[in-house]
Amino acid sequence: DGSFLLKYPFLFNRCRNRSLESTMARLAREYKECDQYEKAYQAQDAIFVARKRATNAKKVKPMRWVKNVGLGIKTPDAAIEGTYVDKKCPFTGNVSIRGKIIKGLVISTKMKRTIVVRRDYLHYITKYRRFEKRHKNIHAHCSPAFPVKEGDIVTIGQCRPLAKTVKFNVVAHEAQRETAGRKRFRMF
């Protein structure tokens, strides 16, 4: 209905200026062999690798399945063009991000595809009318799309339980700015 756009012309300009290519995710067309580091053959669930014939269809299904997480989170290039297979990755796997979105400092990357994120916060004590410093360590799954090291700042989003202690997933990554102590109090 045109009357809606007459009432709100700024929405029309916003829709018209946005190109179709910028709204669509980039897709990998040709198949690259997935990284094979496990005993079992690694392949994405949504992709059929053994395509026998080239069909002349107008819409050709891409050879790597990638989804948009939403919530204003950009899909990293390594997830789109990479060759890793991770069923717990929010961009290429079967995990949806919902609930809390938290920023924190990476303090450990010793586990396989799992990191420990330290989150500092202030707790108010009503009796003394002052704040005390507290922290929590949160275990989060980190997909191979992010080259995370200790000291980096990551944004993690809540998802379904992936393990006994893992209920968060890394959705964004900022490289380390300065080297400081592990237990220094920082709020983001």
Side-chain angles (χ1 to χ4, degrees):
D1 187 17
S3 62
F4 177 77
L5 291 175
L6 291 174
K7 287 181 186 175
Y8 305 103
F10 59 91
L11 289 177
F12 175 71
N13 291 336
R14 202 179 282 171
C15 294
R16 188 182 61 192
N17 291 340
R18 189 182 301 161
S19 66
L20 185 63
E21 291 128 12
S22 65
T23 57
M24 291 180 61
R26 289 179 294 123
L27 300 172
R29 293 283 172 205
E30 69 278 348
Y31 177 71
K32 287 186 242 169
E33 180 68 35
C34 295
D35 296 336
Q36 303 296 331
Y37 299 121
E38 307 295 328
K39 289 181 180 177
Y41 181 74
Q42 300 294 306
Q44 285 187 309
D45 290 336
I47 300 298
F48 181 64
V49 177
R51 218 185 267 174
K52 288 196 171 79
R53 61 184 178 276
T55 58
N56 294 333
K58 292 178 184 175
K59 187 176 180 184
V60 177
K61 192 172 178 184
M63 292 305 289
R64 183 160 175 85
W65 186 80
V66 180
K67 73 174 180 180
N68 184 7
V69 173
L71 304 170
I73 297 165
K74 183 182 176 290
T75 305
D77 293 338
I80 297 168
E81 298 159 0
T83 57
Y84 70 89
V85 176
D86 185 10
K87 65 179 183 178
K88 296 178 181 178
C89 174
F91 306 104
T92 62
N94 186 22
V95 176
S96 61
I97 302 296
R98 78 281 190 284
K100 295 179 182 177
I101 305 288
I102 298 170
K103 260 189 165 184
L105 181 79
V106 177
I107 59 170
S108 175
T109 58
K110 293 175 185 173
M111 292 177 275
K112 183 180 178 183
R113 292 190 181 176
T114 305
I115 61 172
V116 180
V117 179
R118 180 185 170 106
R119 185 172 165 258
D120 297 316
Y121 60 96
L122 296 173
H123 179 249
Y124 185 68
I125 308 296
T126 51
K127 179 180 177 183
Y128 300 111
R129 288 184 272 162
R130 282 168 171 75
F131 291 94
E132 69 179 1
K133 296 173 185 174
R134 287 189 178 182
H135 83 277
K136 287 276 189 271
N137 286 343
I138 301 169
H139 297 260
H141 179 79
C142 182
S143 79
F146 298 108
V148 175
K149 296 188 287 283
E150 289 185 20
D152 292 353
I153 296 165
V154 293
T155 304
I156 56 177
Q158 190 177 7
C159 60
R160 65 176 169 82
L162 302 174
K164 181 182 174 184
T165 58
V166 181
K167 294 166 187 67
F168 285 86
N169 221 315
V170 176
V171 293
H173 167 250
E174 297 172 26
Q176 183 178 10
R177 288 185 294 217
E178 78 276 345
T179 56
R182 242 173 96 159
K183 296 187 175 181
R184 199 178 112 203
F185 189 83
R186 292 183 204 82
M187 286 182 62
F188 303 105

